[in-house]
Amino acid sequence: GSAVTFTIRNLGTANLTLTVPPTLSGANGNQFSVNAAGMSSSLAVNNTTTFTVTFSPTSEGTKNATVSIANNDTDEAPFTFNLTGFATAAPAPEINVQLVSNSGNILDGTGTYTFSNVQEGNSGSAVQFRIQNLGDADLTLSGSPIINLGGTNADQFNVSVQPASSTITSGNSITFSVVFSPTTAGSKSATISFANNDSDENPYNFAISGVATATPAPEINVQQNSTDIASAGTYSGIGSVRIGTTSSTTTFTIQNIGNATLNLSGSPNVAISGSDAAMFSVVSQPSVSTVSSSGSTTFT
């Protein structure tokens, strides 16, 4: 701080002898300094001399010290008085990150954000994040690019909008946007990280995640009397038939257990092949060639 000047006056009737310079003591004596340049060591009656004290704190809080002036005043030797000063914190940035949509804070290191589900091969809506400077000095964002993605599935996300500036003044904020763009189905996770000049939150980082749903697709299943028949499998439930006679008919069900329409192609939809194909015949083709999700059709 600015130097404070103190004046010593000799109000007596004989010369006042002083020890130069005055000394500092007390719990925080090292937070103050004395300048006694020009201070006289002997004062005639009614004369004065001065010294200055400067408050130069190195840490925050209230600081106390004692000034002591050795002299030849018989009842005030040494002459002492107390000093008190308050040290405010040095101006510093203070970073905070919020979700723009609801102003919810996302903490450094422990914060997380979960994106809405997106179908594989597609991109979700851009999500905006806000970087705030709650401190009283400029917050500087460093790095090129400023916002970086890392972690297991970093390639499933992208920063669609980087911060427009690398400096955020006190009380202001800036935004960036991230998009979830999965290329495969499943749970995806990554991290967002960016360097800055906040002394205890550099870099600032938090986790992000999202679930990629599978592209809708049909899934065929064939049953006979509720028993599944695997693709390329065998059904042997028709039983023995005397040569020259015809067995009773057997009905099979084609199910679509997928989440997209199942198309039956070919003409006819159901064909018989193999070395004994002539011994079998399709007497009833499926009634439809398209089977909706969870739907079914039959052939005999």
Side-chain angles (χ1 to χ4, degrees), residues 3 8-9 35 45 58 72 74 78 86 91 109 154 178 207 220 229 254 259:
I8 301 172
R9 183 182 297 276
N35 184 347
V45 174
T58 58
N72 65 336
T74 57
F86 184 77
V178 177
I220 192 171
I229 302 172
I254 302 173
N259 54 5

Side-chain angles (χ1 to χ4, degrees), residues 220-291:
I220 192 171
N221 185 55
V222 175
Q223 289 186 332
Q224 202 292 308
N225 195 26
S226 301
T227 298
D228 291 341
I229 302 172
S231 177
T234 299
Y235 177 74
S236 56
I238 291 178
S240 300
V241 177
R242 186 181 297 276
I243 296 172
T245 63
T246 301
S247 72
S248 59
T249 58
T250 303
T251 299
F252 299 88
T253 300
I254 302 173
Q255 297 177 313
N256 179 8
I257 58 176
N259 54 5
T261 299
L262 172 67
N263 295 315
L264 306 179
S265 57
S267 182
N269 291 146
V270 178
I272 294 178
S273 62
S275 59
D276 298 310
M279 305 297 177
F280 299 85
S281 63
V282 179
V283 295
S284 175
Q285 289 282 339
S287 60
V288 295
S289 59
T290 58
V291 184

Side-chain angles (χ1 to χ4, degrees), residues 21-207:
T23 59
L24 291 170
S25 61
N28 309 118
N30 62 343
Q31 305 290 285
F32 302 83
S33 60
V34 172
N35 184 347
M39 177 179 169
S40 299
S41 59
S42 180
L43 292 181
V45 174
N46 289 326
N47 282 358
T48 62
T49 190
T50 62
F51 66 95
T52 62
V53 176
T54 301
F55 181 36
S56 303
T58 58
S59 60
E60 187 178 359
T62 300
K63 311 298 180 182
N64 299 295
T66 299
V67 176
S68 180
I69 308 167
N71 63 84
N72 65 336
D73 184 321
T74 57
D75 61 353
E76 293 178 287
F79 190 101
T80 63
F81 62 94
N82 296 322
L83 300 173
T84 299
F86 184 77
T88 59
E94 180 57 43
I95 194 171
N96 186 57
V97 173
Q98 289 185 329
L99 187 65
V100 170
S101 62
N102 62 11
S103 297
N105 293 333
I106 302 176
L107 300 180
D108 174 40
T110 60
T112 61
Y113 177 75
T114 302
F115 285 76
S116 299
N117 292 2
V118 176
Q119 187 181 115
E120 61 178 327
N122 294 322
S123 294
S125 300
V127 175
Q128 272 194 317
F129 299 90
R130 179 187 296 118
I131 303 173
Q132 296 176 305
N133 180 7
L134 305 180
D136 49 11
D138 286 353
L139 173 66
T140 301
L141 308 177
S142 53
S144 181
I146 293 174
I147 307 298
N148 293 281
L149 296 172
T152 305
N153 307 120
D155 61 339
Q156 305 292 284
F157 302 82
N158 67 83
V159 181
S160 57
V161 179
Q162 287 281 345
S165 173
S166 60
T167 301
I168 307 173
T169 56
S170 176
N172 289 315
S173 64
I174 202 166
T175 62
F176 66 93
S177 300
V178 177
V179 174
F180 181 32
S181 302
T183 57
T184 58
S187 297
K188 311 298 180 182
S189 61
T191 59
I192 291 176
S193 177
F194 51 94
N196 64 87
N197 66 331
D198 184 321
S199 60
D200 61 353
E201 293 180 283
N202 177 37
Y204 200 103
N205 58 81
F206 58 94

